[in-house]
Amino acid sequence: MPEYKAPLRDIRFVMHEVLESEKLYQTLPGYEEATAELMDAIVDEGAKFCENVLAPLNQVGDEQGCKWSEEGVKTPDGFADAYKQYVENGWPALSAEPDDGGQGMPNLLGMVMSEMMGSSNWSWGMYPGLSHGAIKTIEAHGTPEQKEAYLTKLVAGEWTGTMCLTEAHCGTDLGLLRSKAEPQADGSYAITGTKIFISAGEHDMADNIVHIVLARLPDAPEGTKGISLFIVPKFLPTADGGVGERNGVTCGSIEKKMGIKASATCVMNFDNAKGFLIGPANKGLACMFTFMNTARLGTAVQGLAHAEQSYQGALAYARERLAMRSVSGPKNPDGPADPIIVHPDVRRMLLTQKAFAEGGRAFIYYLTQLGDVVQNGDEEAAKQADDLMALLTPIAKAFLTEVGYEAANHGVQVFGGHGYISEWGMEQIVRDCRISMLYEGTTGVQAIDLIGRKVLGSGGKLLMNFTAIVDEFCKANTDDAMKPFIDALAGYNKEWLELTMKIGEKAMQNPEEAAAASVDYLMYSGYVTLAYFWARMAVVAQAKVAAGEGDASFYEAKLMTARFYFDRLLPRAAMHKECLLSGADNLLDMPEALFAF
Amino acid sequence: MPEYKAPLRDIRFVMHEVLESEKLYQTLPGYEEATAELMDAIVDEGAKFCENVLAPLNQVGDEQGCKWSEEGVKTPDGFADAYKQYVENGWPALSAEPDDGGQGMPNLLGMVMSEMMGSSNWSWGMYPGLSHGAIKTIEAHGTPEQKEAYLTKLVAGEWTGTMCLTEAHCGTDLGLLRSKAEPQADGSYAITGTKIFISAGEHDMADNIVHIVLARLPDAPEGTKGISLFIVPKFLPTADGGVGERNGVTCGSIEKKMGIKASATCVMNFDNAKGFLIGPANKGLACMFTFMNTARLGTAVQGLAHAEQSYQGALAYARERLAMRSVSGPKNPDGPADPIIVHPDVRRMLLTQKAFAEGGRAFIYYLTQLGDVVQNGDEEAAKQADDLMALLTPIAKAFLTEVGYEAANHGVQVFGGHGYISEWGMEQIVRDCRISMLYEGTTGVQAIDLIGRKVLGSGGKLLMNFTAIVDEFCKANTDDAMKPFIDALAGYNKEWLELTMKIGEKAMQNPEEAAAASVDYLMYSGYVTLAYFWARMAVVAQAKVAAGEGDASFYEAKLMTARFYFDRLLPRAAMHKECLLSGADNLLDMPEALFAF
């Protein structure tokens, strides 16, 4: 199993040198305590927990999986203990609101922790991670009584939460859902229906589980406008905050699946379970959209987490494994062969992983910092940040999970045949990562959201907000050493708008044109966006090198990785451009009956 | 689990209409019996066996896996019975030499069978498939006595074979191997060593297993020039062709791995096992190279097999699953939503699978037919065919498995979250397929073979053999309807040579340049080669449509898929071109110490 070491140097580089987090937080009310020193201390502590407690449970979790019985779900050995430590050390409350018992630290710190937990043990991280939706729902839409009863427990991590959306016949298309909520005399609702794919729906790590359930009131309109949200706890809370009567919600089974085997994916049966309406009737989907961006970022980070995890494993192996000689002469003349890291194609795979992990880190942290501005910034700044998040979140979610999966696969490939053997831990990363392109909206769903709702739906404005930032960055950086990066970035940035105009024009004639371009458009946008972050990192690194500040080798490595990104990964943008410009006909002309004979 | 139906219409299209197999075989001595009618009858029978016997065992095989004990390896329920039927029906002997008890049918028929077996149950197919190397080794290098003792048993399928190459510390770099062969007084050798990754190394499906083992004689030179081949049977044969004394070769354990779980991947311990030298001493690797191309084709077909299998599953689901409405208005107005095949991006994924499966079929069958010419053609024709195979086989192996894996992943993606659940069978295809890019030489190894040994090593001649064929094809097809395909293909064909010259020139200064370009060069070559096969298929289809012959809808679908390939997949070639032209520095400049901090 690959050993995990939190990439602290790079985390600090992104937080302090690229995003200048301290400077931002000093101006955001409520985050003034978040000095660089405190942030580093917290991250260091979190790194120890991830390296020493979570990482050693990753492979055993995959081997054992979860065990279902009528009594509930047993998580793998060590999972519940690790969760106990996590709660005792106060991690669940890190970025939560002080009013609800949280520590009020920036969400950025929570995201750094998510990355490290994800790289060490993604399955484990899903149990606390799934509370996020429940917390956000109750924070935004709960009554004071609901907050009192549930929120502090969730924030403290004593209880965990879930989001119960999907039914067997509908995932993406929630308008089709059938679960029912019947009003009861006491003001509560009797919830009946079956939900599937409920992560952390049942487990043995916490005393209670708070389900947020989408269901229909008896008189609800059809489709998405007739969906309401309900709180349905596993155990009804007692007046003094304890765990009371068992509610009519049970886990019918857990799924056997490709990966994240230590994360219980539950079929949840609601049989006249007592539920409590949260938020306005029939506005459930709209309420959920209020935290859609942060929920998606919570999945986007999976791409980064697995790219990092797989890179660490592959790099260690490439340094040790001896095979063949370098074509330009032995590099390890005293050994029987050279370490495979001398071979250019092994380096190509390693650098691809590295470029996606480090670029993804900058991208995700940037978005999370925008989320902090949305939450605590002044109205204008919050609006700007929210608009940027609206544009960039579907890109981050889909693009970073797609390239994270590619990176995970390179990790297997570096190991050769050994990569396919479970013992080494590399194939588990591929299996664990594969879900990231599916849940929380597939790549295709993110792509339609991007091109339809966000870009064309705003008349291009949301995109222009960002291209203006890129443009400004390009104009501000005229250092000769940066010219290759800046010229390429500026060119793509301009082309991005031109391409968007072309699709927009075609889509006015035929809306299928936007849908047909969508995934290529998203991937194009992803490569250009990542080029912006690589250019930003290069500018910072180049300035340090020029000034002779800090560890020159770190900054030189950053510059070389940036060059690799521009030379060998960014050219994919042009390929996506050509595909998306090819139009909808090559997808739609084929009558359905002609797909097979 | 997706149902498997052999794509008989398309198989016939490639055999009869594109490759005109009957015409070829009528002129190849020994294959005269292979009329179109007979070939179809054999394929039809094979299809029934695959659909009805093998496909139903695919999922259960994955669930049960193989069980190791001191007594041996138990394969999943039904596997041994299916093998018995396979042997009783004479399938092992289909393409083998009549002198050895074979039926002497073209290898093409064996390949069609391999494809269908692979699409229905890849793991099962590995047991008979692994005999191939042993058969070819003994055919080419065995003494009459060795042929008498082993070959007829292997050809009849009564016994199976293996190739024991890899050791824990070396796979690609076989020069490092350590297994020893000590000469014995009776002329045999005592073989000692441990081999890993031995597929079908131990199982309960046949009476005996014939291992071909690479080992070193006591006085052998170091490296690849000191390796010899030995026959090491599990049971020593008796004089009358029966199974005699147990030999000192045992299966120490089987690997727990990502997929192909029903295929036993064995650690084989040789403890003074009795072995018999086959072929000249110290020439073992050279002997193996004689059938390297056909062995690699046997893996290349895995890409095609899984693309087809995944496509069939995804297509059926996309026709049934209802979600959202078509953006251009409901296509299933009486239902609650439209089937997802109406959505352009779902079609993009399906067409990608289809284009790779059908294109890969033409590519693989073409190469297999070349193999038949090598085997039974006159000297000049055989030499030409062999040269083409030398060039195209590494492309087929690496490119078709890479795109096959992509296709398998699209199949999961079409299913959304359900694709991740084992029950549907789609994620198994991804896991089973992942090995294909690793064994029988990784993608990187194929790429070095292509650019180094084959293309630059022949001074470009092997490549020019093929580009001349493509050129001739382009010049011969001037139909207006074909112009977009032909123009694009002719352009790439020319560019392929130009690119090769550029790399060749750079590599003369620095051999790292070829290695740094290798995988992008191989993928470029793959997309161009597949464009040739798509253009060939389009020309045939267009002629049929123009003449009003046959089922017009089949040919129209073929033309639309060709268009999709040229519009949406071929543009990747340009991206690979840009990457490979970016040179070696962006891979080699980074000192090893700077890969992580």
Side-chain angles (χ1 to χ4, degrees):
Chain A
M1 192 179 59
E3 192 190 9
Y4 175 67
K5 292 298 285 179
L8 294 173
R9 179 66 188 91
D10 204 59
I11 288 171
R12 283 179 194 166
F13 172 72
V14 175
M15 286 204 303
H16 304 321
E17 302 175 58
V18 181
L19 300 179
E20 300 181 293
S21 302
E22 185 183 65
K23 206 163 115 188
L24 171 75
Y25 293 128
Q26 296 313 303
T27 68
L28 278 182
Y31 289 149
E32 298 87 346
E33 280 180 36
T35 60
E37 199 183 355
L38 180 64
M39 290 193 278
D40 286 349
I42 291 172
V43 171
D44 285 355
E45 274 308 303
K48 283 182 208 156
F49 176 73
C50 294
E51 291 169 0
N52 302 331
V53 179
L54 296 187
L57 298 176
N58 189 42
Q59 197 164 22
V60 70
D62 183 61
E63 283 161 12
Q64 293 185 359
C66 290
K67 305 274 190 298
W68 178 92
S69 74
E70 298 249 341
E71 282 73 50
V73 170
K74 196 191 162 314
T75 55
D77 293 346
F79 269 47
D81 280 348
Y83 187 73
K84 198 161 164 251
Q85 281 187 56
Y86 179 77
V87 172
E88 282 170 2
N89 294 333
W91 291 111
L94 180 64
S95 299
E97 302 278 351
D99 285 354
D100 308 320
Q103 295 169 28
M105 282 289 121
N107 289 300
L108 179 58
L109 281 174
M111 182 54 85
V112 174
M113 193 65 188
S114 289
E115 182 208 317
M116 296 189 298
M117 294 195 303
S119 293
S120 42
N121 193 330
W122 184 265
S123 285
W124 187 91
M126 288 185 71
Y127 294 92
L130 263 290
S131 293
H132 177 268
I135 290 174
K136 289 284 163 188
T137 306
I138 302 172
E139 256 180 14
H141 308 289
T143 63
E145 294 73 27
Q146 288 171 338
K147 288 186 185 180
E148 164 100 21
Y150 301 103
L151 202 49
T152 47
K153 298 287 187 183
L154 287 166
V155 164
E158 285 180 55
W159 300 353
T160 65
T162 77
M163 296 299 299
C164 297
L165 284 62
T166 303
E167 301 180 4
H169 64 291
C170 68
T172 299
D173 196 353
L174 289 171
L176 302 177
L177 73 81
R178 295 174 190 149
S179 291
K180 283 179 193 167
E182 291 280 345
Q184 305 296 299
D186 65 356
S188 73
Y189 294 81
I191 311 292
T192 299
T194 298
K195 297 286 181 177
I196 67 166
F197 298 168
I198 309 307
S199 299
E202 178 61 35
H203 58 78
D204 54 5
M205 286 161 63
D207 297 336
N208 200 2
I209 302 172
V210 181
H211 304 287
I212 306 291
V213 183
L214 271 61
R216 289 183 183 285
L217 293 167
D219 55 352
E222 282 194 4
T224 53
K225 289 175 180 160
I227 295 172
S228 305
L229 287 175
F230 300 87
I231 301 177
V232 183
K234 175 178 171 185
F235 293 99
L236 295 164
T238 56
D240 62 353
V243 160
E245 192 187 339
R246 185 73 164 88
N247 201 356
V249 47
T250 51
C251 173
S253 61
I254 56 175
E255 305 286 355
K256 188 170 176 297
K257 55 199 191 301
M258 185 180 193
I260 57 165
K261 293 189 180 206
S263 167
T265 304
C266 302
V267 175
M268 298 303 299
N269 297 320
F270 296 85
D271 184 11
N272 279 311
K274 191 181 273 285
F276 308 97
L277 183 68
I278 177 165
N282 298 331
K283 302 279 186 207
L285 277 195
C287 290
M288 275 187 37
F289 267 88
T290 56
F291 61 88
M292 183 70 87
N293 284 334
T294 46
R296 283 182 183 173
L297 274 188
T299 305
V301 72
Q302 190 173 358
L304 152 61
H306 289 310
E308 175 68 36
Q309 182 185 24
S310 184
Y311 175 60
Q312 292 195 12
L315 177 59
Y317 189 77
R319 283 170 159 167
E320 279 171 19
R321 175 77 176 182
L322 305 181
M324 314 304 283
R325 291 294 183 187
S326 162
V327 292
S328 52
K331 301 291 181 283
N332 174 36
D334 298 336
D338 288 336
I340 61 173
I341 198 170
V342 307
H343 304 310
D345 195 62
V346 170
R347 289 174 156 252
R348 182 186 61 83
M349 294 190 278
L350 291 171
L351 286 164
T352 301
Q353 298 182 293
K354 183 176 168 67
F356 286 142
E358 295 177 8
R361 181 169 296 122
F363 188 3
I364 295 263
Y365 289 11
Y366 170 83
L367 281 177
T368 311
Q369 204 167 269
L370 287 180
D372 283 323
V373 176
V374 172
Q375 194 169 309
N376 286 16
D378 64 43
E379 200 176 330
E380 195 193 326
K383 172 76 171 73
Q384 280 177 2
D386 199 41
D387 282 351
L388 280 173
M389 281 188 85
L391 174 82
L392 295 175
T393 302
I395 301 176
K397 196 283 176 183
F399 175 75
L400 292 181
T401 57
E402 292 279 342
V403 300
Y405 186 63
E406 178 189 332
N409 272 291
H410 287 310
V412 166
Q413 198 70 18
V414 168
F415 273 69
H418 295 276
Y420 199 67
I421 307 300
S422 304
E423 182 185 355
W424 290 95
M426 300 304 287
E427 60 89 25
Q428 182 190 342
I429 305 175
V430 171
R431 288 185 292 103
D432 287 353
C433 187
R434 185 64 187 83
I435 187 64
S436 63
M437 293 120 86
L438 297 166
Y439 58 16
E440 206 61 43
T442 62
T443 299
V445 166
Q446 305 294 332
I448 289 286
D449 178 52
L450 173 68
I451 201 166
R453 284 186 64 230
K454 304 297 172 60
V455 173
L456 301 181
S458 73
K461 269 189 206 152
L462 290 183
L463 176 60
M464 285 185 279
N465 290 342
F466 184 62
T467 55
I469 289 172
V470 176
D471 204 35
E472 201 178 321
F473 167 80
C474 290
K475 285 182 180 138
N477 288 286
T478 52
D479 184 327
D480 269 357
M482 290 297 100
K483 199 166 157 42
F485 300 143
I486 298 297
D487 285 356
L489 176 61
Y492 276 110
N493 195 46
K494 185 160 166 283
E495 184 184 74
W496 194 2
L497 282 175
E498 291 162 3
L499 275 181
T500 306
M501 297 264 287
K502 279 189 195 165
I503 303 168
E505 280 163 24
K506 288 208 280 183
M508 290 215 281
Q509 310 298 320
N510 176 6
E512 300 280 14
E513 289 287 347
S518 60
V519 168
D520 282 302
Y521 182 79
L522 185 140
M523 294 303 289
Y524 177 94
S525 304
Y527 283 109
V528 177
T529 304
L530 213 65
Y532 165 67
F533 287 104
W534 267 113
R536 275 187 70 170
M537 293 193 286
V539 163
V540 172
Q542 174 64 27
K544 298 279 183 173
V545 169
E549 281 174 21
D551 178 0
S553 62
F554 176 84
Y555 299 112
E556 277 157 14
K558 196 59 80 177
L559 287 164
M560 286 185 267
T561 312
R563 180 177 167 199
F564 173 83
Y565 180 81
F566 276 79
D567 278 2
R568 293 216 174 225
L569 298 175
L570 187 54
R572 299 177 186 183
M575 177 268 285
H576 288 295
K577 174 182 122 187
E578 191 161 346
C579 291
L580 71 90
L581 288 178
S582 74
D585 291 351
N586 56 31
L587 302 179
L588 294 171
D589 280 353
M590 178 101 65
E592 189 231 302
L594 269 58
F595 272 77
F597 287 86
Chain B
M1 192 179 61
E3 192 190 8
Y4 175 68
K5 292 297 284 179
L8 294 174
R9 180 66 188 90
D10 205 59
I11 288 170
R12 281 177 197 171
F13 172 72
V14 175
M15 286 203 304
H16 305 322
E17 300 175 60
V18 181
L19 300 179
E20 301 181 292
S21 302
E22 184 183 65
K23 208 164 111 187
L24 172 73
Y25 293 127
Q26 296 313 301
T27 68
L28 278 182
Y31 289 148
E32 299 86 347
E33 280 180 37
T35 60
E37 200 182 353
L38 180 64
M39 289 193 277
D40 285 350
I42 291 172
V43 171
D44 285 355
E45 275 309 302
K48 283 182 208 156
F49 176 73
C50 293
E51 290 170 0
N52 302 331
V53 180
L54 296 187
L57 299 176
N58 188 42
Q59 197 165 21
V60 70
D62 183 60
E63 283 161 13
Q64 294 185 0
C66 290
K67 305 275 191 296
W68 178 92
S69 74
E70 298 249 343
E71 281 71 51
V73 170
K74 196 190 161 316
T75 55
D77 293 347
F79 268 48
D81 279 349
Y83 187 73
K84 195 160 165 251
Q85 280 186 57
Y86 179 78
V87 171
E88 282 169 2
N89 294 333
W91 290 112
L94 181 63
S95 299
E97 302 279 352
D99 286 352
D100 308 319
Q103 295 168 27
M105 282 289 122
N107 290 299
L108 179 59
L109 281 174
M111 181 55 84
V112 174
M113 193 66 187
S114 288
E115 181 207 319
M116 296 190 298
M117 295 196 302
S119 293
S120 42
N121 193 331
W122 184 265
S123 285
W124 187 91
M126 287 185 71
Y127 293 93
L130 263 289
S131 293
H132 177 267
I135 290 174
K136 288 283 165 188
T137 307
I138 302 173
E139 256 180 15
H141 308 289
T143 62
E145 294 72 28
Q146 287 171 339
K147 289 188 185 180
E148 164 100 21
Y150 301 102
L151 202 49
T152 47
K153 297 288 185 182
L154 287 166
V155 164
E158 284 180 56
W159 299 354
T160 65
T162 77
M163 295 300 299
C164 297
L165 284 63
T166 303
E167 300 180 5
H169 65 289
C170 67
T172 298
D173 195 355
L174 289 171
L176 302 178
L177 73 80
R178 295 175 192 148
S179 291
K180 285 179 191 166
E182 292 280 346
Q184 304 296 299
D186 65 355
S188 73
Y189 294 80
I191 312 291
T192 299
T194 299
K195 297 286 182 178
I196 66 167
F197 298 169
I198 309 307
S199 299
E202 178 61 36
H203 58 78
D204 54 4
M205 286 161 64
D207 297 336
N208 200 2
I209 302 174
V210 181
H211 303 287
I212 305 291
V213 184
L214 270 62
R216 290 186 182 283
L217 293 167
D219 54 353
E222 281 196 6
T224 53
K225 289 177 181 159
I227 295 172
S228 307
L229 287 175
F230 300 87
I231 300 177
V232 183
K234 177 177 169 184
F235 293 99
L236 295 163
T238 57
D240 63 352
V243 160
E245 191 188 340
R246 185 74 164 86
N247 201 355
V249 47
T250 51
C251 173
S253 61
I254 55 175
E255 306 285 354
K256 188 169 175 297
K257 56 199 191 298
M258 185 180 194
I260 56 166
K261 294 190 180 204
S263 167
T265 305
C266 303
V267 175
M268 298 304 297
N269 298 320
F270 296 84
D271 184 10
N272 280 311
K274 192 183 272 285
F276 308 97
L277 182 68
I278 178 166
N282 299 331
K283 302 279 184 206
L285 276 194
C287 290
M288 276 185 41
F289 267 89
T290 56
F291 62 89
M292 184 70 87
N293 284 335
T294 46
R296 284 184 181 172
L297 274 187
T299 306
V301 71
Q302 189 172 0
L304 153 60
H306 289 309
E308 175 68 35
Q309 182 186 26
S310 184
Y311 176 60
Q312 291 195 14
L315 177 59
Y317 189 78
R319 282 170 159 165
E320 280 172 18
R321 175 78 175 181
L322 306 181
M324 314 303 282
R325 291 295 183 186
S326 162
V327 292
S328 53
K331 302 290 180 285
N332 174 36
D334 299 336
D338 289 335
I340 61 173
I341 198 170
V342 307
H343 304 309
D345 195 62
V346 171
R347 288 172 158 253
R348 182 185 60 83
M349 294 189 278
L350 291 171
L351 286 165
T352 301
Q353 298 181 293
K354 184 177 168 66
F356 286 142
E358 295 177 8
R361 181 170 296 123
F363 188 4
I364 294 265
Y365 289 11
Y366 170 83
L367 280 178
T368 311
Q369 205 167 269
L370 287 180
D372 284 324
V373 176
V374 173
Q375 193 169 310
N376 286 15
D378 64 44
E379 198 175 334
E380 194 193 328
K383 171 76 172 74
Q384 280 177 2
D386 199 41
D387 282 351
L388 280 173
M389 282 188 84
L391 175 81
L392 295 175
T393 302
I395 301 176
K397 196 284 176 182
F399 175 76
L400 292 180
T401 58
E402 292 279 342
V403 301
Y405 186 64
E406 177 188 334
N409 272 291
H410 286 310
V412 165
Q413 198 69 17
V414 167
F415 273 69
H418 295 276
Y420 199 67
I421 306 300
S422 304
E423 180 185 357
W424 290 96
M426 300 304 288
E427 60 88 26
Q428 182 192 340
I429 305 175
V430 171
R431 288 185 291 103
D432 287 352
C433 187
R434 185 64 185 83
I435 187 63
S436 64
M437 292 120 86
L438 297 166
Y439 58 15
E440 206 61 43
T442 63
T443 299
V445 167
Q446 305 294 331
I448 288 286
D449 178 52
L450 174 67
I451 201 167
R453 284 186 64 229
K454 305 297 173 58
V455 174
L456 300 182
S458 73
K461 271 190 204 150
L462 290 183
L463 176 60
M464 285 186 278
N465 289 342
F466 184 62
T467 55
I469 290 172
V470 176
D471 204 35
E472 201 177 321
F473 168 80
C474 290
K475 287 185 179 136
N477 288 285
T478 52
D479 184 328
D480 269 357
M482 289 297 100
K483 197 166 159 40
F485 300 142
I486 298 297
D487 285 355
L489 176 62
Y492 277 110
N493 195 46
K494 187 160 164 284
E495 184 184 75
W496 194 2
L497 282 176
E498 291 161 2
L499 275 182
T500 305
M501 296 264 286
K502 279 190 196 165
I503 302 169
E505 280 163 26
K506 287 208 281 182
M508 290 214 281
Q509 310 298 318
N510 177 5
E512 299 280 13
E513 289 288 346
S518 60
V519 168
D520 282 302
Y521 182 79
L522 184 141
M523 294 303 289
Y524 177 94
S525 305
Y527 283 109
V528 176
T529 304
L530 213 64
Y532 166 68
F533 287 104
W534 267 112
R536 275 185 71 169
M537 294 194 284
V539 164
V540 172
Q542 176 65 25
K544 297 282 182 170
V545 170
E549 281 174 20
D551 179 359
S553 62
F554 176 84
Y555 299 112
E556 278 157 12
K558 196 59 80 179
L559 287 165
M560 286 186 267
T561 311
R563 181 179 166 198
F564 173 84
Y565 180 80
F566 276 80
D567 279 2
R568 292 213 175 228
L569 297 175
L570 187 54
R572 299 177 186 184
M575 177 269 286
H576 288 294
K577 174 181 120 187
E578 191 161 345
C579 292
L580 71 91
L581 288 179
S582 74
D585 291 349
N586 56 31
L587 302 180
L588 293 172
D589 280 353
M590 178 101 65
E592 190 231 302
L594 269 57
F595 271 77
F597 287 85

